[in-house]
């Protein structure tokens, strides 16, 4: 299948044998992505910030989709605490040595005031990018075991307005809410070109979620955005490492975001900021 324009999933989806982890799956696009994957027959690992939120989402999927409870598993980690990301990744690997799909979806809008996590990183940069960077690296073996899996980074069209402040990624000297959010989305888009795992990034569309105020006054349904993500999860859809999609169309990302030099520079920066504690 060409990756320039993706058609909806067929009723007998290859996803039926897949194991997929969706971060930020307790509401919005993440929940709808988990729901579509479950409806397609996948075993879904539902991530939430707390165990209670994750279990509630998992229970909701079992109730609404009507799937066996063993096909939905709840996982918890507060992405503003990298130690929790490490703990969750260890549990995922222990319970699922092979992972077919990782959807890096969890995200927060950067707060109005400059906010630093307990790990010392600007909040949006950590939750939206660094936590996913760490999680993906910790799951690398599971994602690359035969047959190899794929990573879908849920990015944003706003990555085009962003710039990575290499010498001040925490933006301590000059903080802007929108600039901090755009930087996190640009980093996530660049990360898709990391050669260690097969990955793409996607702007799912402007949808009516908690992040809507960053974009517009109204948007499409979260389910519509989720459909653009789930198409890319389908193993029968060929993808190119580092490719960027705007909804269902493959387009060029921001200039320079797939350049090897930029990818290596981001990897070096991220390794420092996550403390190589893994």
């Amino acid at each position: 299948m060409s990756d320039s324009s993706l058609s909806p999933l067929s009723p007998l989806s290859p996803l039926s044998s897949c194991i997929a982890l969706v971060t930020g799956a307790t509401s919005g696009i993440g929940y709808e992505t988990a729901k579509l994957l479950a409806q397609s027959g996948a075993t879904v690992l539902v991530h939430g910030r707390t165990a209670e939120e994750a279990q509630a989402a998992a229970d909701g999927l079992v109730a609404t989709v009507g799937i066996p409870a063993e096909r939905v598993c709840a996982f918890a980690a507060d992405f503003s605490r990298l130690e929790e990301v490490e703990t969750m990744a260890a549990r995922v690997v222990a319970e699922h040595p092979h992972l077919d799909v990782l959807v890096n979806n969890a995200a927060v809008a950067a707060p109005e005031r400059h906010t630093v996590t307990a790990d010392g990183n600007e909040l949006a940069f950590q939750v939206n990018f660094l936590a996913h960077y760490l999680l993906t690296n910790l799951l690398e073996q599971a994602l690359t075991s035969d047959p190899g899996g794929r990573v879908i980074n849920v990015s944003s069209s706003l990555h085009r307005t962003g710039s990575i402040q290499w010498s001040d990624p925490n933006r301590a000297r000059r903080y802007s809410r929108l600039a901090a959010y755009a930087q996190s989305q640009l980093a996530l888009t660049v990360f898709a070109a990391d050669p260690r795992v097969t990955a793409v990034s996607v702007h799912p569309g402007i949808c009516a979620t908690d992040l809507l105020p960053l974009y517009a006054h109204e948007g499409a349904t979260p389910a519509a955005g989720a459909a653009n993500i789930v198409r890319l999860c389908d193993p029968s859809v060929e993808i190119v490492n580092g490719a960027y999609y705007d909804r269902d169309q493959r387009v060029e990302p921001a200039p320079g975001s797939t350049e090897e030099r930029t990818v290596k520079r981001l990897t070096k920066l991220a390794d420092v900021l996550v403390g190589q504690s893994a």
Side-chain angles (χ1 to χ4, degrees), residues 35-57:
K35 183 178 179 180
L36 281 175
L37 287 168
Q39 288 172 332
S40 299
T43 294
V44 184
L45 315 186
V46 176
H47 160 259
R49 188 177 60 85
T50 67
E52 294 77 16
E53 291 175 0
Q55 191 58 55

Side-chain angles (χ1 to χ4, degrees), residues 189-236:
T189 303
V190 172
F191 180 42
D194 189 307
R196 288 173 286 184
V197 296
T198 300
V200 296
S201 55
V202 57
H203 168 59
I206 297 173
C207 301
T209 69
D210 291 343
L211 297 176
L212 181 62
L214 290 171
Y215 297 90
H217 295 296
E218 56 185 43
T221 64
N228 293 319
I229 296 168
V230 175
R231 288 187 189 98
L232 295 168
C233 297
D234 186 340
S236 70

Side-chain angles (χ1 to χ4, degrees), residues 2 6 10 15 19 29 42 66 70 84 111 126 137 152 166 199 240:
S2 167
L6 303 172
S10 62
L15 284 164
I19 298 174
I29 292 175
E70 59 267 23
E84 293 193 19
Q126 177 164 322
N137 288 344
I152 314 299
W166 300 105
V240 177

Side-chain angles (χ1 to χ4, degrees), residues 106-156:
V108 295
E112 293 288 351
R113 292 178 178 273
H114 185 258
T115 305
V116 176
T117 69
D119 298 293
N121 303 306
E122 190 274 316
L123 181 66
F125 199 59
Q126 177 164 322
V127 172
N128 299 354
F129 166 62
L130 290 173
H132 286 122
Y133 175 87
L134 179 60
L135 179 63
T136 304
N137 288 344
L138 294 173
L139 298 178
E140 180 182 348
Q141 186 173 347
L143 286 162
T144 55
S145 63
D146 190 48
R150 60 179 60 182
V151 178
I152 314 299
N153 289 340
V154 182
S155 179
S156 163

Side-chain angles (χ1 to χ4, degrees), residues 23-274:
T23 71
T26 57
S27 64
I29 292 175
Y31 181 80
E32 294 298 332
T33 296
K35 183 178 179 180
L36 281 175
L37 287 168
Q39 288 172 332
S40 299
T43 294
V44 184
L45 315 186
V46 176
H47 160 259
R49 188 177 60 85
T50 67
E52 294 77 16
E53 291 175 0
Q55 191 58 55
D59 292 343
L61 289 174
V62 171
T64 58
V65 182
I67 56 174
E70 59 267 23
R71 286 220 347 253
V72 183
C73 311
F75 288 81
D78 182 342
F79 278 12
S80 69
R81 297 181 178 276
L82 294 178
E83 183 180 6
E84 293 193 19
V85 176
E86 294 177 15
T87 300
M88 184 184 88
R91 185 188 154 207
V92 170
V93 171
E95 297 180 13
H96 302 279
H98 175 73
L99 196 61
D100 296 286
V101 179
L102 168 60
V103 180
N104 287 325
N105 166 76
V108 295
E112 293 288 351
R113 292 178 178 273
H114 185 258
T115 305
V116 176
T117 69
D119 298 293
N121 303 306
E122 190 274 316
L123 181 66
F125 199 59
Q126 177 164 322
V127 172
N128 299 354
F129 166 62
L130 290 173
H132 286 122
Y133 175 87
L134 179 60
L135 179 63
T136 304
N137 288 344
L138 294 173
L139 298 178
E140 180 182 348
Q141 186 173 347
L143 286 162
T144 55
S145 63
D146 190 48
R150 60 179 60 182
V151 178
I152 314 299
N153 289 340
V154 182
S155 179
S156 163
S157 58
L158 287 177
H159 87 275
R160 298 185 185 282
T161 70
S163 63
I164 299 173
Q165 298 297 301
W166 300 105
S167 61
D168 183 28
N170 284 345
R171 295 180 172 265
R173 290 192 291 272
R174 176 182 286 184
Y175 179 79
S176 155
R177 181 190 190 195
L178 199 56
Y181 178 78
Q183 174 181 253
S184 71
Q185 299 308 298
L186 176 58
L188 198 60
T189 303
V190 172
F191 180 42
D194 189 307
R196 288 173 286 184
V197 296
T198 300
V200 296
S201 55
V202 57
H203 168 59
I206 297 173
C207 301
T209 69
D210 291 343
L211 297 176
L212 181 62
L214 290 171
Y215 297 90
H217 295 296
E218 56 185 43
T221 64
N228 293 319
I229 296 168
V230 175
R231 288 187 189 98
L232 295 168
C233 297
D234 186 340
S236 70
V237 174
E238 293 183 14
I239 59 174
V240 177
N241 197 53
Y244 171 75
Y245 292 82
D246 188 327
R247 288 159 289 190
D248 63 349
Q249 298 292 320
R250 183 181 172 190
V251 298
E252 287 300 311
S257 58
T258 59
E259 290 180 359
E260 184 180 1
R261 177 177 175 271
T262 303
V263 175
K264 286 183 175 180
R265 193 176 186 186
L266 180 66
T267 298
K268 186 175 181 180
L269 173 65
D271 281 343
V272 171
L273 295 180
V274 301

